[in-house]
C-alpha cells in the first residue's frame, strides 16, 4: 500500500491541480486516482484537506449535448416550483423552507 505525498498550503509542485482548478482549465480528472494531498493548517482543528490530480493525465470536459441541456433545464425548473402552491417562484426554493417564501409566511 502506497501513501500519497502531502504538501502544505501553496507549496504543491506544478503539474497538480484540484478539481476546481482542472475545471477552470477545461479538464476533468477522467477516472484517475488522487495523486497527492494538500493540507492547510488550522489553529484548533484538523487541517483542511484538498485532493490533487495530475494535470497531464486529465481529460477534456465532455461537451454539453442537447439532451444534457434539457435535463439540466428540467432539474432547475423543478427546483423553482413550489410543492404547496405549484407555481414557479422565479427563484430556487430554499431547502430549509421546503416551499416558496409567500407559502412559508402564510403557515
Amino acid at each position: 500500500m502506497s501513501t500519497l505525498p502531502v504538501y502544505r498550503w501553496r507549496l504543491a509542485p506544478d503539474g497538480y491541480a484540484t478539481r476546481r482548478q482542472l475545471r477552470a482549465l477545461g479538464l476533468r480528472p477522467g477516472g484517475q486516482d488522487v495523486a497527492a494531498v494538500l493540507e492547510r493548517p488550522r489553529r484548533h482543528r484538523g487541517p483542511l484537506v484538498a485532493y490533487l490530480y495530475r494535470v497531464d493525465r486529465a481529460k477534456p470536459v465532455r461537451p454539453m449535448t442537447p439532451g444534457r441541456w434539457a435535463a439540466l433545464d428540467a432539474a432547475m425548473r423543478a427546483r423553482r416550483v413550489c410543492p404547496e402552491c405549484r407555481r414557479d417562484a422565479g427563484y430556487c426554493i430554499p431547502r430549509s423552507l421546503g416551499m416558496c417564501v409567500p407559502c412559508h409566511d402564510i403557515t
Side-chain angles (χ1 to χ4, degrees), residues 68-85:
R68 285 186 178 178
W69 280 115
L72 181 61
D73 185 45
M76 293 306 291
R77 190 171 40 252
R79 291 181 63 191
R80 290 191 312 262
V81 175
C82 176
E84 296 294 318
C85 63

Side-chain angles (χ1 to χ4, degrees), residues 25-101:
L25 296 171
L27 301 171
R28 61 185 168 96
Q32 66 173 302
D33 292 331
V34 174
V37 177
L38 185 70
E39 288 188 349
R40 179 180 180 193
R42 298 191 291 180
R43 289 181 186 250
H44 301 290
R45 294 180 279 179
L48 288 175
V49 176
Y51 299 110
L52 300 174
Y53 300 90
R54 301 247 328 242
V55 175
D56 58 342
R57 293 185 184 170
K59 296 180 180 177
V61 174
R62 295 183 189 121
M64 288 292 282
T65 62
R68 285 186 178 178
W69 280 115
L72 181 61
D73 185 45
M76 293 306 291
R77 190 171 40 252
R79 291 181 63 191
R80 290 191 312 262
V81 175
C82 176
E84 296 294 318
C85 63
R86 298 286 181 205
R87 283 185 277 176
D88 187 340
Y91 54 88
C92 288
I93 306 271
R95 291 181 64 192
S96 60
L97 299 180
M99 59 186 77
C100 65
V101 175

